[in-house]
């Protein structure tokens, strides 16, 4: 699934979203799966699964910040 499809589903209004979308340029599905580097057949074609440590590290920070902000 291209990230552009996720972008299209984000709320369009100016209120603070309950969901935050951050797209990591060059990241693939499984960017947070240690050791992943393969191609898998999906219902709509082939998907590249690849670990990307920088995206994984930042995603952990983003999730912790989200929880800190909204779950206090």
């Amino acid at each position: 699934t291209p990230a552009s499809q996720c972008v299209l589903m984000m709320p369009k209004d100016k209120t603070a979203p309950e969901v935050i979308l951050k797209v990591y340029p060059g990241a693939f599905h499984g960017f947070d799966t240690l050791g992943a580097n393969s191609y898998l057949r999906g219902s709509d074609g082939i998907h590249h699964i690849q670990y990307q440590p920088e995206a994984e590290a930042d995603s952990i920070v983003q999730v912790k910040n989200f929880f800190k902000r909204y779950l206090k």
Side-chain angles (χ1 to χ4, degrees), residues 7-40:
V7 172
L8 292 174
M9 291 187 279
M10 290 300 293
K12 303 290 188 260
D13 58 11
K14 295 183 187 283
T15 62
E18 293 180 14
V19 176
I20 297 168
L21 174 65
K22 181 165 185 180
V23 176
Y24 295 100
F28 296 95
H29 286 288
F31 71 84
D32 60 344
T33 304
L34 184 62
N37 189 11
S38 62
Y39 293 86
L40 302 174

Side-chain angles (χ1 to χ4, degrees), residues 33-57:
T33 304
L34 184 62
N37 189 11
S38 62
Y39 293 86
L40 302 174
R41 183 175 303 281
S43 61
D44 62 343
I46 303 296
H47 299 278
H48 187 179
I49 310 296
Q50 184 176 356
Y51 179 62
Q52 188 177 43
E54 298 85 4
E56 179 197 31

